Amino acid sequence: MSAPTRPRAGSSAIRRGEGLAGWIFTAPVIIILGVFLLIPVLMALWVSFSDWNGRGSPLSPRVGFVGLENYAAVTTGGGLTERNFGIALRNNAWYVFLVVPLQTILSLFLAVLVSRAILRGRGFFRTAFYFPSVTSSVAITVLWLFLFNKDGVVNEVLSWIGINGPNWFRDPRGIVHIALGNVGPLAGPDFLVQNGFLGISWWEWLAGPSVAMTAFILMAVFTTSGTFMLLFIAALVNVGVELGEAGMMDGANGWQRFWHITFPQLRPTLFTVLTLGLIGCWQVFDQIYTGTQGGPAKTTVTPAFLSYQSAFLNQDWGQGAAIAFILFLIIIVFALFQRWVLRDRPVSKRRARQYQVKSTSRVAAPVLVKGSKP
Amino acid sequence: MLSVLALIYIYPFLVQVATSFKSDAEATADPISLIPQTWTLAAYELLFTRSDFPLWSMNSAIVTIFVTLGRVFFVSLAGYALARLQFRGRALIFALVVGVMAVPGVVLLIPKFLVLNQLGLYDSYAGMILPLLVDAAGVFIMKNFFESIPVSIEEQARIDGAGPFRVFWSVVLPMARPALITIIILSFQGSWNELNHFIVSTQSPELTTLTKGVASLASGQLSQGNQFPIKLAAAAIMTIPVAVMFLVFQKRILNTAEGALKG
């Protein structure tokens, strides 16, 4: 962002009254963001430390402060609450673990395919890939329930190649367990079954996403790849062709040129895509609410949905709010971790320079990575 | 390669439309065909004459119109002030706006309900609309746009004695059409597709929006009879407004997402 232009000397008379105008102009935004965002978050924070049961005002004197009790019930309580939270975390962790890499790779792949200069009908393909992104999650979920139903389109296509597809949205089996079951008898080793974290055993943690969750995973990849494709296309435009041509002169093949020349320059966009993907994936809610309500056997419950369920359906407001704030923390920690992993390291620059040195100086100048701000 | 991928992305929508014209039995027996053996409007008839679908559509339309109009105005007003007007506290306000953008929406489910309830706005149009009226990302986009316009253009008007609002309204805003269209598209899409805010801000059937209504269609009857033609017809109709918007502003939308990165 460029710095705001300062008034020239002598124009102060004209500028008089700007202070008031500035506040008036921004007042609606301040008030609405404050009343419907800032204050609510503070209120919810209070609720997460209280025993409010949903009746009356959470600020009334009858509501008691219970300290970390709600947080403790969710994370160390040893009861069903802790187990439910463990399951929700497990489900969502697998979702993140699969969706984030898949959507990133696919969107980059689509972007590279679509941006090839020779391609005709580029607009058509961009439209086709982006369209799912503008469609509401509810409508897409409804469509998905149809495609992945037991006698649905997906299973019919699978049957062409001799695969007997599962009853997707009703199958609670974890896909890792299914894969293991194909190789041998399905029983976990004792040390995995008897130890665990958050009320569920390591063996359950390692079950993988359920078949039902896998259908949601595919849906997420389907709906978000278009958006991220656009980000990568924009970045590819900035990369320019000169360095690639220089690489070609040096005898690098297509893959080498992509991996050693183009890809390092996509780093800022990659960071954006991974971060947005990660933040989005930890918030899965609409799809679950519309599609399975957490079933089958709780294998599609996510922390966001659990938070909603605890508060609005079970009237356990304190726990619901506590779950929401733990989720908030998880998102922040992951985003920071990603930032740290993807920080600019000198190695990659040196690698890029290898090519710049060999090519002429004419080439190097215009292709320096343009600073891109998300 | 690309064509196969494109087919995978497009086919679900084609089969969706096709299925909405099939009978219940045919939708289950032959899900994959794009041409119904017997065309029937039964699904649409049921939606429009014997369900709350028209009411849901109207609610969605009302909310979307108000939210879009409000956002365009408030967001550009604030964007202009943050880009151009010199006033004490500006940096603070900007920091607030940026900070707010970082709060994940799902964390706000319970908070929004709490405050709407406290203010007596729960289960009302006001409660549905007001919290969506302003959007931090929109302020950001408008601020960036206004900063790209040369100051000299406003100076003439200012020397002629126009006040800040006058300058904003008659000089700067008309120039901001591309950015305004972006905001309109984003808020239209956002509020039309919004689900979780309506879940936590309303309960009465009269205030059900399309997203909430169609979600109840989908989840409520998963076990008894598939009724896929009806569900898919509902989802398809729901998609039409955003699809039209998308096709009309295609160029702009596809470039907007790119522009968002360039900042």
Side-chain angles (χ1 to χ4, degrees), chain A residues 36-38 40-41 324, chain B residues 103-113 200:
Chain A
F36 294 108
L37 249 140
L38 211 60
V41 168
Chain B
V103 179
V106 156
V107 176
L108 295 169
L109 286 177
I110 297 172
K112 274 202 235 172
F113 166 79
V200 301

Side-chain angles (χ1 to χ4, degrees), chain A residues 45 71 78 125 134 154 246 270-271 319 341:
Chain A
L45 196 61
Y71 290 88
F125 288 109
V134 298
V154 172
L270 190 69
F271 177 72
Q319 281 175 14
V341 170

